Amino acid sequence: PPGRERRTDEALVIVCILLQIVAFPVLLVWVIKTDSPIAVVLLIVVSTLGSLGIGAACMHFTWNSTMRTWPPQEPAPDAIRRNFQSFSLGLINLGWSVHVAADQQHLHLRPATPVRWLGAASASIPWQAMQPLGGRRGTAVRLGNHTMIAPRWCVELVAPHSD
């Protein structure tokens, strides 16, 4: 079931973070004290898994918790499409990592494959859910309780729908 799968993913993320917090310092001391090749390999493995866990946690607790409100839908055939666009939401900065489609009803966001490996979810955000925040650069929109930074062309498409 989806709920069980989500709890398993959360548990895996927590284990990876704990590896980074607990095992990394222990292994670092071991490497410094002994100069053992096994310690070096373990340090690299733990660092990699811990970093992936932290990235997955950021995706899960920031990006996915916000995007979960708007499940992905199929864009209209005449949607404007651009790949490898940059979006930011809270601590998450997905530079050149989101494929975008914009139709009359929604802004469709599909993270690039490596970002999806970290657990980032796709979403179809209704235009009415976004309010442009203005400002000098004009690339920020209010999305629920969050501020999302989006490409200017996306924000310009939001404006007619935010009345």
Side-chain angles (χ1 to χ4, degrees):
R4 171 183 260 168
E5 183 179 300
R6 190 168 143 216
R7 283 191 301 274
T8 303
D9 290 346
E10 289 174 4
L12 184 60
V13 165
I14 291 168
V15 167
C16 289
I17 291 171
L18 288 175
L19 268 175
Q20 188 77 4
I21 293 170
V22 176
F24 178 81
V26 171
L27 288 170
L28 185 59
V29 169
W30 186 21
V31 167
I32 292 170
K33 296 270 186 191
T34 65
D35 202 25
S36 166
I38 293 171
V40 172
V41 169
L42 287 174
L43 182 66
I44 291 169
V45 168
V46 164
S47 297
T48 302
L49 289 176
S51 297
L52 291 173
I54 290 168
C58 288
M59 287 301 159
H60 176 76
F61 293 114
T62 302
W63 182 265
N64 289 355
S65 66
T66 302
M67 297 303 163
R68 183 177 301 126
T69 307
W70 304 287
Q73 299 178 18
E74 193 63 33
D78 62 344
I80 300 168
R81 297 172 189 268
R82 294 194 184 163
N83 291 329
F84 301 106
Q85 300 294 293
S86 298
F87 283 80
S88 176
L89 182 72
L91 294 174
I92 302 295
N93 183 359
L94 299 178
W96 299 347
S97 300
V98 180
H99 305 309
V100 181
D103 59 24
Q104 291 291 340
Q105 304 299 319
H106 299 91
L107 180 66
H108 305 274
L109 305 177
R110 179 173 165 80
T113 302
V115 181
R116 286 196 316 270
W117 290 340
L118 288 175
S122 297
S124 295
I125 306 169
W127 293 113
Q128 293 78 11
M130 296 178 272
Q131 288 81 39
L133 294 177
R136 191 172 55 95
R137 297 180 70 195
T139 60
V141 295
R142 174 67 57 197
L143 189 60
N145 295 328
H146 302 280
T147 298
M148 181 172 74
I149 308 297
R152 180 170 281 122
W153 71 270
C154 292
V155 177
E156 288 170 354
L157 293 174
V158 172
H161 298 89
S162 63
D163 296 334

